[in-house]
């Protein structure tokens, strides 16, 4: 049973040795990976935003859990912007400038991660004013990257 | 600028107050959330599986990072199997039995999380044999839940 499970997993792992994609078997996997990470991050940030705006009651534990998850997720998308995944069989809003201006893009992703760390720290205090303050920095970091590197709908 | 960013985030946060979805504005968000978490988890487990099977060279650091990510992701999907998200405007392979047999489903998700924790510990040792052993338990846990609760393609 165990051997079958391991073999099944290996089959799923598939062709991970293609040189262009050290981590991803095909462009669609890279696109889906980064979209998945960004979606989970946005959902968790959104929960905190609703509290910051008074749309839902403030729950310090939920905010802290969401901020911890958002910080973790904020580290994940970037390895999936691999060369060769500029497009694939699923739509992507990633603009080609990401690859042409990689150093600038990397700088913006690092800024986002730094702001997420601050949000996580603020949420740990359980103080809504701290959280509101940190959310400003997060929102600005999201916007800065999207303005230049996310295609409009 | 900061105020605009916070308001933009709040707009994105949207209608998070619908009683049926404490955390999700609509069923599609819940479906997409759990699919995103499971996808990232599977991708990371797959990377380790490729090493365990000798399809790619063993890299202890990559395996350890992947296992840590997989363990974190293994905690996330379950809150998104909310009542009301049995179906939505995007396809889901979640079988209705999940909600009819919630305690059993919860037990299987807890087993998966326990096996992911063991995989994470094994990967931290940097020893491929430890990792192979732990992968057996992970594969069995994935299969056990999928056999009963994931609709076949």
């Amino acid at each position: 049973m165990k051997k079958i499970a391991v073999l099944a997993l290996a089959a799923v792992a598939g062709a991970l040795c293609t040189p262009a994609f050290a981590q991803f078997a095909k462009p669609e996997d890279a696109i889906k990976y980064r979209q998945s990470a960004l979606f989970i991050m946005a959902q968790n940030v959104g929960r905190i935003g609703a509290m910051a705006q008074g749309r839902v009651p403030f729950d310090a534990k939920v905010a802290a859990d969401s901020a911890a998850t958002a910080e973790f997720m904020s580290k994940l998308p970037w390895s999936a912007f691999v060369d060769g995944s500029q497009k694939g069989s699923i739509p992507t809003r990633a603009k080609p400038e990401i690859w042409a201006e990689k150093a600038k893009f990397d700088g913006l992703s690092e800024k986002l991660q730094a702001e997420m760390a601050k949000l996580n720290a603020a949420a740990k205090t359980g103080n809504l004013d701290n959280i509101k303050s940190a959310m400003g920095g997060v929102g600005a970091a999201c916007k800065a990257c999207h303005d230049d590197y996310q295609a409009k709908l």
Side-chain angles (χ1 to χ4, degrees), chain A residues 3-4 16-17 44 51 57 64 66 69 71 90 104 108 110-111 113 124 139-140 145:
Chain A
K3 191 173 179 185
I4 292 168
L16 280 174
C17 340
N44 280 278
M51 293 179 194
S66 292
T69 297
E71 187 188 2
I90 60 177
K104 188 177 165 203
L108 291 175
E110 281 153 24
K111 174 72 171 164
Q113 293 175 71
K124 284 185 162 84
C145 195

Side-chain angles (χ1 to χ4, degrees), chain A residues 33-86:
Chain A
Y33 193 93
R34 63 207 191 208
Q35 290 176 343
S36 296
L38 291 163
F39 181 79
I40 294 173
M41 185 177 77
Q43 284 281 311
N44 280 278
V45 171
R47 268 167 225 163
I48 300 168
M51 293 179 194
Q53 280 292 311
R55 288 171 180 264
V56 300
F58 176 53
D59 182 324
K61 174 144 201 330
V62 170
D65 287 348
S66 292
T69 297
E71 187 188 2
F72 189 94
M73 300 314 295
S74 75
K75 305 180 200 293
L76 300 186
W78 322 113
S79 67
F81 287 94
V82 284
D83 194 34
S85 70
Q86 284 85 338

Side-chain angles (χ1 to χ4, degrees), chain A residues 29 63 67-68:
Chain A
D29 288 347

